[in-house]
Amino acid sequence: INSDSRGLNRKYDNGFIYWSPETGAHAIIDGPIFEEWKALGSEDGDLGYPTTDLMLTSDGLGRFCSFQGGIIFWKKNLGAKSITVLTS
């Protein structure tokens, strides 16, 4: 059980699968996106749980993962960058 007492995660060789009742199960691969998410508080931070698996950008040169509160993008020349969606 995760620290929020709502979700679960399981470690595998190349990353984790995180699950919550609201988002279902999604894979997060070890690497820059996962490290950025951890630095921002992972499921306890503003981004919350992942809502997609790790995906390719439309140009095929980057990766991204969507979360309850935003997105983390990664591109080789830029590194991992988060965008938080503000709600009122």
Side-chain angles (χ1 to χ4, degrees), residues 13-70:
D13 288 342
N14 294 318
F16 294 83
I17 293 181
Y18 277 79
W19 174 90
S20 79
E22 298 85 13
T23 62
H26 297 285
I28 306 257
I29 307 302
D30 276 340
I33 289 177
F34 181 72
E35 292 303 318
E36 177 73 4
W37 183 57
K38 279 186 7 185
L40 295 170
S42 56
E43 70 273 9
D44 294 322
D46 290 340
L47 290 176
Y49 281 89
T51 58
T52 66
D53 295 337
L54 185 68
M55 302 177 74
L56 284 172
T57 56
S58 59
D59 63 7
L61 300 175
R63 308 281 184 274
F64 71 94
C65 188
S66 295
F67 298 85
Q68 290 172 300

